[in-house]
Amino acid sequence: MNIKKVMIIGAGQMGSGIAQVCAQAGFEVYLNDLKPEFVERGIGVITKNLTRNVEKGRMTEDEKTSVLGNIKQSTNLQDAQNVDIVIEAAVENMDIKTKIFAQLDEIAPEHAILASNTSSLPITEIAAATKRPEKVIGMHFMNPVPVMKLVEIIRGLATADEVYQAIEDMTKSLNKVPVEVNDFPGFVSNRILMPMINEAIYTLYEGVATVEAIDEVMKLGMNHPMGPLTLADFIGLDTCLYIMETLHEGFGDDKYRPCPLLRKYVKAGWLGKKSGRGFYTYS
Ligand code: CAA
């Protein structure tokens, strides 16, 4: 399989990061979102990251121009007819994802791979919305995408070996490290990370320590680059809640019950960094 042209669905935090690393690796990229202003915002973030690379001497101005030249703005799913792979990074919602995959299945060429950057939803169920489940796969990048080395690759029940191999090769060409996992709620990354974050929120909820103290213990005591409550704000509290709900429902075990404080914050619209307030406030 020769992958040259890529479409990224969703120009938010994850989608724009994926578009950046694909464009830097020389792929032709369509960055797609519902409205032109969403795509422009994503291009703005990419431009800022590339400018920092130029300032730090890691890239020339010409290379920056060439990377940006690899990205086409798109607000029309029909552009999927031109690509070899689509990587979907839309919101974490099964109904929305299955609708997008059903549409892409009609539009994308027969050989095209349909990948999802879902952080916890079953790939097998997303694949069932298409008539090409053997070409559907999970490609889970970590945030911030330009910095983090891991891509968790999730095989659905029907994913073909050559599709897995093509995605592993593509991941390496993005200068990332692929790790193969099977399709289970939360895969490996969020099955382990999210219960830790949820437990940190319970620790706060039960008054064991302050926000700052909890983060300090995990940073200085466990050498984590950021504390779990800072990390939760950084990921987005709505995303954390959604993933905990997926684990709770998927395993049916109360050890995955989302902390009531997490629910309360999300109901209040305190979604973390992106909304200006979560466990911390952001200006
Ligand atoms: N985009 C691009 N580059 C970024 C960035 C971003 N959003 N944030 C930081 N960086 C770059 C900085 O520019 C800096 O680069 P330079 O060396 O050129 O200066 C470098 O990363 C280090 O940044 P800082 O010095 O500002 O801060 P730091 O040392 O604390 O590193 C961090 C920042 C890499 C984010 C680090 O704090 C970290 O590793 N945090 C944990 C991240 C993590 O756990 N990610 C996984 C989240 S879970 C997930 O993504 C999966 C899911 O499904 C929810």
Side-chain angles (χ1 to χ4, degrees), residues 52 56 58 119 140 142-144 147-148 190 193 226 231:
R52 197 172 49 233
K56 294 237 164 183
R58 288 190 290 248
S119 48
H140 183 209
M142 301 293 131
N143 186 21
V147 180
M148 305 298 281
N190 280 320
L193 174 66
M226 47 172 64
L231 183 56

Side-chain angles (χ1 to χ4, degrees), residues 41-94:
R41 199 183 309 148
I43 302 272
V45 173
I46 296 171
T47 307
K48 212 170 117 200
N49 287 342
L50 297 177
T51 302
R52 197 172 49 233
N53 283 340
V54 173
E55 283 162 6
K56 294 237 164 183
R58 288 190 290 248
M59 183 180 265
T60 64
E61 193 62 49
D62 282 354
E63 282 165 342
K64 173 183 151 186
T65 308
S66 143
V67 171
L68 286 172
N70 286 344
I71 305 175
K72 291 190 181 69
Q73 304 194 23
S74 160
T75 47
N76 189 346
L77 272 193
Q78 290 297 331
D79 289 329
Q81 63 194 343
N82 302 318
V83 301
D84 307 306
I85 178 172
V86 182
I87 305 174
E88 171 278 322
V91 288
E92 278 296 274
N93 178 301
M94 187 51 107

Side-chain angles (χ1 to χ4, degrees), residues 127-149:
T130 74
K131 292 189 242 23
R132 59 175 99 188
E134 72 289 351
K135 295 209 172 68
V136 178
I137 193 161
M139 201 177 181
H140 183 209
F141 292 79
M142 301 293 131
N143 186 21
V145 178
V147 180
M148 305 298 281
K149 291 303 263 184

Side-chain angles (χ1 to χ4, degrees), residues 55-211:
E55 283 162 6
K56 294 237 164 183
R58 288 190 290 248
M59 183 180 265
T60 64
E61 193 62 49
D62 282 354
E63 282 165 342
K64 173 183 151 186
T65 308
S66 143
V67 171
L68 286 172
N70 286 344
I71 305 175
K72 291 190 181 69
Q73 304 194 23
S74 160
T75 47
N76 189 346
L77 272 193
Q78 290 297 331
D79 289 329
Q81 63 194 343
N82 302 318
V83 301
D84 307 306
I85 178 172
V86 182
I87 305 174
E88 171 278 322
V91 288
E92 278 296 274
N93 178 301
M94 187 51 107
D95 285 346
I96 293 175
K97 289 199 194 288
T98 47
K99 275 194 193 105
I100 292 174
F101 272 72
Q103 279 176 278
L104 289 172
D105 191 31
E106 297 295 322
I107 302 166
E110 211 177 306
H111 73 275
I113 296 174
L114 304 181
S116 175
N117 178 55
T118 179
S119 48
S120 63
L121 293 171
I123 297 301
T124 306
E125 195 175 333
I126 296 173
T130 74
K131 292 189 242 23
R132 59 175 99 188
E134 72 289 351
K135 295 209 172 68
V136 178
I137 193 161
M139 201 177 181
H140 183 209
F141 292 79
M142 301 293 131
N143 186 21
V145 178
V147 180
M148 305 298 281
K149 291 303 263 184
L150 175 70
V151 178
E152 203 177 24
I153 304 182
I154 305 106
R155 279 181 188 266
L157 195 58
T159 308
D161 286 345
E162 63 266 29
V163 169
Y164 176 82
Q165 196 53 54
I167 294 302
E168 191 177 277
D169 294 346
M170 180 180 178
T171 300
K172 288 179 185 161
S173 76
L174 300 177
N175 199 20
K176 306 269 179 218
V177 179
V179 175
E180 179 182 356
V181 310
N182 282 323
D183 193 13
F184 255 75
F187 317 131
V188 172
S189 54
N190 280 320
R191 181 173 178 165
I192 297 174
L193 174 66
M194 279 304 155
M196 183 196 72
I197 287 177
N198 197 45
E199 201 59 36
I201 303 171
Y202 267 114
T203 309
L204 176 69
Y205 180 62
E206 290 168 10
V208 180
T210 63
V211 170

Side-chain angles (χ1 to χ4, degrees), residues 3 5 11 26 44 76 116 129 156-157 182 197 251 264 273 281 283:
I3 299 177
K5 296 185 182 178
N76 189 346
S116 175
L157 195 58
N182 282 323
I197 287 177
F251 290 114
K264 192 183 251 187
K273 212 170 165 194
T281 48
S283 50

